[in-house]
Structures are given as C-alpha cells and as structure tokens.
Amino acid sequence: MSFLKHEEIIKRCEKINQLYEIDPSFFDGIVDDLLDSEQDTETVILSGFQRLLTEVDNEIERMEEFTSMKPNCFMGCAFCCYFPIVITKMEAKMLFRSIENFSGDRKKAIYAHWENYYEKQQDKLQVAMAMDYEAPETKLEYKKLNLPCPMLDPETQLCMAYEVRPIPCRTYLNYSDPQVCADQHMPKEPFSYEFLYQFYFGSINELIQALYENGEDVFVDYPMDAWSYDYLPAWIKQWKEGTLGEV
C-alpha cells in the first residue's frame, strides 16, 4: 500500500488554506432547522449537539474530496486517544446528558469503565490534570504519560461514545503511514482540522443562547459554562462526584 509523503500532505493542505472556502450555511442551517422545530428543548439541544459534531465530519470529507486525500486511520487505531482533550463545561454537560440517553447496557458499561479507569489511572491523572492545558509543551508531556481517554474501551480500542465524541477526536487525521503514530508521540505527518471548532462552537452557542433568551430550560449554567474549559477527565470526575452542577 502506498502512502502520501509529508511534503505532499503539506502541499494539499496548503491548497485547502488557499483555495477552499467553508460554507457556514451548513452549520447555520442546522441551528435554524432546530429552532423552527416543535421538539422539546432537551431534544433540540442534544440533536443540535450531535448534528453539529457530525457536520464537522462532513466538512472534513468535503475538504478531503477537494484535495483528493483519504485518511488511513482505522478502527482500533487509538494512538490519538492519548492526547489531552479539552472541552467546555457546556459541552461536557451535553456529552453526559447524551450518554444518559444511551441504552441501559451501553450506559452501564461506560459507568463501570469509569469506576475502574479512575482507580487504575489515579496517579497519571493527578499529574495530567495539574498541567496547564494552554501551555505549548503540555500536549507532548501529556501524551508521554500514556494516559488513555476515559472514553476509550481498553478491550476493543474503540470510543464508547463515538457519535458524540468531542471535536479534538474528529479533527486529527493521518493521511500517511499509520505506523508513524505508533512510532512517535507527535508525528509530523497527521493533519489537524481544529480550525473547524469555531464553526461548530459558534453554532452550538447560538442555539443555546437563543433557547436561553427565550426562557427555555437549557440544563447548563449559560453563559458561564460556555467559557469554562478543562480536561475531559476532569469534567467526568466532577460528574462522578456530583459537583458538576445540573446536567
């Protein structure tokens, strides 16, 4: 099997930066559709959360088609699941509410996994959660800890909440030999579409704001939760301890 060289990946990604234009109407349309719907507020929020996350995947696929690139990531390839995942408190609450709506067995498996995870990984978690997530060196130092995401199933190496996995999990893709991810903590070959976060977050924030201003129960402390960031394992720990606030 042939893989793209790093130089070719850079060239094609530069094509995205120079020639590709993101159409925000794809994201705006989801918000407009949900605000015009007759669904209850919780359904509108959770549907918007999942649909806007999925739209990030769709936008990446459109860019890949534009540049004739295809990722070589595969099921069970979980090397990127050891990077720090930082999200807002608002996103964490929507993630947890989504999980609460999973089937009983699936939900039970996640909760049981968390109990084992926080007991087994407590030493690494203590080190990781003390890191400044804004510091430039943190990503590498966190990766060196070999601390898996709390949503990673240790047996299958698959995400236990794949359809609502956060933006960082969706925007880091490898178009070269996947072996580079196994050999290095931070290989140069993979490409990040993290710039799409502004489109997703702007839209989910617009949705919540509109509902909040209309007097709806948005089950988050808006706007404070929208601007409070932390590591995903930190939010889960608060949820487990009952200190996260309303979910």
Side-chain angles (χ1 to χ4, degrees):
M1 181 181 295
S2 60
F3 303 107
L4 291 177
K5 300 291 187 181
H6 177 59
E7 294 74 16
E8 182 60 27
I9 295 173
I10 293 296
K11 181 180 178 180
R12 298 193 190 193
C13 291
E14 286 178 348
K15 181 180 178 182
I16 293 176
N17 294 331
Q18 295 171 3
L19 302 175
Y20 187 87
E21 292 187 13
I22 297 173
D23 185 352
S25 67
F26 287 108
F27 294 90
D28 296 339
I30 293 173
V31 175
D32 293 341
D33 178 57
L34 289 167
L35 290 177
D36 289 340
S37 74
E38 298 298 325
Q39 301 176 96
D40 63 89
T41 303
E42 179 176 328
T43 300
V44 166
I45 292 173
L46 297 184
S47 178
F49 178 52
Q50 184 166 340
R51 286 177 63 182
L52 288 167
L53 286 170
T54 301
E55 191 54 42
V56 170
D57 299 337
N58 295 339
E59 184 61 38
I60 290 174
E61 289 179 359
R62 288 190 285 269
M63 285 188 274
E64 289 173 340
E65 184 177 355
F66 181 74
T67 54
S68 300
M69 292 198 300
K70 185 177 180 179
N72 293 314
C73 307
F74 54 89
M75 291 183 66
C77 175
F79 297 108
C80 59
C81 299
Y82 291 78
F83 281 118
I85 302 301
V86 177
I87 61 175
T88 66
K89 194 172 188 177
M90 183 172 77
E91 293 171 280
K93 288 181 177 180
M94 290 188 287
L95 172 62
F96 300 147
R97 184 66 68 95
S98 297
I99 291 173
E100 287 176 358
N101 289 333
F102 285 174
S103 66
D105 289 344
R106 187 181 180 191
K107 180 169 53 177
K108 186 184 300 183
I110 291 173
Y111 296 159
H113 167 64
W114 284 350
E115 289 300 321
N116 181 64
Y117 176 88
Y118 281 86
E119 179 178 349
K120 181 179 180 180
Q121 305 290 354
Q122 58 181 327
D123 291 340
K124 290 183 179 180
L125 283 166
Q126 185 174 4
V127 175
M129 297 304 97
M131 293 181 180
D132 178 2
Y133 62 79
E134 294 184 315
E137 69 274 8
T138 291
K139 191 172 185 178
L140 176 57
E141 294 306 311
Y142 192 108
K143 186 70 159 47
K144 287 180 178 178
L145 287 174
N146 200 36
L147 173 67
C149 172
M151 296 309 311
L152 182 65
D153 187 320
E155 295 183 5
T156 65
Q157 292 296 290
L158 300 176
C159 179
M160 302 180 78
Y162 187 78
E163 65 268 42
V164 286
R165 68 197 187 283
I167 289 292
C169 313
R170 298 167 184 265
T171 54
Y172 184 84
L173 294 167
N174 184 6
Y175 300 98
S176 183
D177 186 344
Q179 185 62 34
V180 300
C181 294
D183 295 340
Q184 306 170 55
H185 285 300
M186 293 183 65
K188 62 182 181 180
E189 286 83 0
F191 181 70
S192 174
Y193 295 88
E194 60 185 356
F195 54 85
L196 290 175
Y197 181 81
Q198 61 179 311
F199 295 92
Y200 147 79
F201 187 75
S203 296
I204 195 66
N205 185 63
E206 179 184 350
L207 177 65
I208 299 297
Q209 182 178 9
L211 294 170
Y212 173 78
E213 292 178 347
N214 194 44
E216 304 289 342
D217 179 11
V218 296
F219 68 77
V220 298
D221 182 11
Y222 189 82
M224 296 300 295
D225 285 355
W227 306 108
S228 179
Y229 288 85
D230 209 338
Y231 296 107
L232 175 58
W235 292 134
I236 294 177
K237 184 174 185 293
Q238 288 187 37
W239 179 86
K240 283 169 43 60
E241 296 172 344
T243 59
L244 187 68
E246 184 182 1
V247 177

